[in-house]
Amino acid sequence: MSAQPKSRTRVVVTGLGTTNPLGGDAATTWERMLAGESGVRPIEDPAFADLPVRIAGTAAVEPTDVLDRVRARRLDRSSQFALTAAIEAWHDSGLDVPQQAGELDGDRIGVAMASGIGGVQTLLSNYDAMLAKGPRRVSPLAVPMLMANAPAATISLEIGARAAVNTPVSACASGNEAIALAADQIRLGRADVVLAGGTEAAIHPLPVAAFANMMALSKNTGDPTTVSRPWDTARDGFVLGEGAGALVLESLEHARARGARIYAEVLGAGITADAHDIAQPDPQGRGGARAILRALADGDIDPASVAHVNAHATSTPQGDVAEALMLHATLGAHAGDVVVSGTKSMTGHLLGGAGALEAVATVLAIQNRLAPPTINLDNLDPAVELDIATKPRDLPLGDIVGLNNSFGFGGANVAVAFGSVD
Amino acid sequence: MSTEEIRAALADIVNEVAGVDADDVQLEKSFVDDLDVDSLSMVEVVVEAEEKFGVTIPDDQVKNLKTVGDAVSYIERARAAA
């Protein structure tokens, strides 16, 4: 475990869960990621027929196939994804087994489950019902289904979490921000365990039209699996994805006392804002650079120990270059030695779920000392001087650090540093 | 529709909304105490029943529908009056 001279509560990751375009669980996702598979597919739904974009990273496993029917009926799709990932992470941590959970008290369990947009499909389907059949047909469950904190509240009910139940909302940085906030809750002594992550279910004609009209989505009509291509000269926008990621964060003391398996340590986190533009990133990536520097300072991390970056890398012309600039600005001459992965090339962009899914990938990369590939990188943009993994790449032995970057509309920037534990 | 046909169709709605086994939805059963149908689910059952049976069940009547039999009787009367 990396040296951490500050005498404060140390936070570790003891459980992982996800459901996303590559797989319905963390193990399947990791396997398909290492194989360089794509979860981007054509959207067959005729409601998308008139849209300029008809591909997306649709969930590999329908949440209604794994959740109880009546329970799923009362949840927006975003809560269905969040609950699926949370149940996996909670089980993975062993905290669902009384003998392993020890004296765990619900008052000491928190939730930080982010959403970028909230229950937009519930909102729109109820509006459709109202227009077609009148206000009587609006579901009495519409509000508790569509509210942004519904995924977090659903998980609180599931695991009996009675400490803070938070929903950070910072667009595409939301999932990573949830992890940063969860670590803070534990460091501040407000919880021993926090189930953290992010979720999104926005593959609906309206958000797709909106993202397409703001020219954020790729209009590439070629093979869907090749459209998400971070850092490639032919990139022209992101591909929307859906799903959730969940991590069980726990104080090191609590994890050790119950003999938990520890995947990695949350060494530090940085959260900043650009104050530049509501949608465009700062072209120099200055806000993101400050988030990375804060994460490094927060964890007393030597930049030379950073071995891996799971980049935000959405496949947009501007954002991918800005992120390369910020890695050079923060890691200096070492930036060229870091193995960088852009996993959205395989999953598409899960918006509020992205930072959480990518945190799961970062933790698995650090634990397995193996960086996942970036697919579709045929011609590296000459403005990007980074060592990008295009095949799974070994990471060094010894204490290593992996950075997970997420940036969102509104100028939100979040970087979280995970450290190896063996 | 006979009383039994209305009960059976209502049972399918209760099953769809609340996951209660349709065979348990018998006339003497209380929605809240026996079938564990909460207030929001009851609103959903009522709206589905209005559409299915072509009747109107005002909100102020819903509280009087304590048992499955109450609901079936109400629907029968509303259909007869229509």
Side-chain angles (χ1 to χ4, degrees), chain A residues 133-402:
Chain A
K133 296 179 175 178
R136 183 72 170 161
R137 297 300 301 190
V138 173
S139 170
L141 296 166
V143 169
M145 287 173 71
L146 70 82
M147 62 191 190
N149 65 320
T154 300
I155 294 164
S156 161
L157 289 165
E158 171 70 20
I159 64 175
R162 299 191 301 263
V165 174
N166 291 312
T167 303
V169 177
S170 50
C172 307
S174 305
N176 214 18
E177 184 165 9
I179 296 162
L181 293 181
D184 282 348
Q185 290 290 323
I186 296 169
R187 286 173 174 178
L188 291 166
R190 293 173 178 166
D192 295 322
V193 176
V194 180
L195 200 153
T199 187
E200 204 77 72
I203 302 175
H204 176 285
L206 191 140
V208 169
F211 280 121
N213 289 348
M214 74 188 296
M215 296 186 287
L217 292 181
S218 171
K219 305 271 172 59
N220 186 331
T221 54
D223 176 356
T225 66
T226 68
V227 171
S228 185
R229 41 196 317 117
W231 299 299
D232 186 85
T233 50
R235 71 190 186 279
D236 69 335
F238 74 80
V239 175
L240 191 57
E242 63 176 359
L247 299 85
V248 175
L249 269 52
E250 189 168 355
S251 74
L252 175 63
E253 183 185 21
H254 194 272
R256 279 190 174 152
R258 68 184 187 89
R261 174 202 38 211
I262 297 172
Y263 283 99
E265 179 169 3
V266 182
L267 294 174
I271 303 174
T272 66
D274 282 349
H276 168 75
D277 186 87
I278 193 68
Q280 296 297 326
D282 176 338
Q284 302 301 314
R286 287 170 293 198
R290 284 188 296 110
I292 293 169
L293 289 176
R294 284 189 183 190
L296 296 176
D298 186 39
D300 278 326
I301 297 163
D302 176 356
S305 67
V306 176
H308 172 57
V309 175
N310 188 307
H312 188 59
T314 61
S315 184
T316 58
Q318 278 197 314
D320 291 8
V321 171
E323 188 168 12
L325 294 175
M326 69 181 76
L327 289 175
H328 284 280
T330 54
L331 302 177
H334 177 62
D337 304 330
V338 177
V339 180
V340 181
S341 301
T343 50
K344 287 188 183 77
S345 59
M346 297 174 277
T347 64
H349 188 351
L350 273 61
L351 307 179
L357 168 58
E358 288 147 24
V360 170
T362 309
V363 166
L364 287 170
I366 291 298
Q367 188 213 15
N368 292 292
R369 295 178 189 274
L370 194 59
T374 308
I375 65 170
N376 301 323
L377 182 52
D378 298 331
N379 296 293
L380 179 63
D381 185 330
V384 176
E385 294 177 16
L386 295 173
D387 180 10
I388 296 161
T390 54
K391 295 275 184 275
R393 287 268 298 276
D394 289 334
L395 296 173
L397 298 175
D399 288 343
I400 57 169
V401 174

Side-chain angles (χ1 to χ4, degrees), chain A residues 69-70 73-74 133 136-141 144, chain B residues 15-16 19 38 41 44 46-47 50-51 57 59:
Chain A
R69 177 182 65 83
V70 174
R73 193 175 177 280
R74 307 186 77 152
K133 296 179 175 178
R136 183 72 170 161
R137 297 300 301 190
V138 173
S139 170
L141 296 166
Chain B
N15 171 262
E16 170 67 23
D38 65 23
S41 293
E44 285 196 282
V46 164
V47 173
E50 286 180 333
E51 182 152 299
I57 308 174
D59 286 346

Side-chain angles (χ1 to χ4, degrees), chain B:
Chain B
M1 290 175 94
S2 70
T3 301
E4 172 52 22
E5 283 167 340
I6 292 173
R7 185 209 62 79
L10 187 64
D12 287 342
I13 293 171
V14 175
N15 171 262
E16 170 67 23
V17 170
V20 177
D21 189 334
D23 291 340
D24 289 343
V25 184
Q26 297 298 334
L27 296 178
E28 73 281 6
K29 294 290 178 67
S30 158
F31 286 108
V32 174
D33 298 332
D34 298 326
L35 303 179
D36 210 20
V37 177
D38 65 23
S39 61
L40 293 182
S41 293
M42 192 65 196
V43 175
E44 285 196 282
V45 168
V46 164
V47 173
E48 297 276 343
E50 286 180 333
E51 182 152 299
K52 176 85 183 175
F53 301 111
V55 299
T56 300
I57 308 174
D59 286 346
D60 61 2
Q61 292 296 320
V62 173
K63 64 178 183 299
N64 299 325
L65 307 181
K66 303 220 183 295
T67 67
V68 175
D70 294 341
V72 170
S73 302
Y74 190 93
I75 291 164
E76 284 184 314
R77 287 198 305 277
R79 284 169 59 86

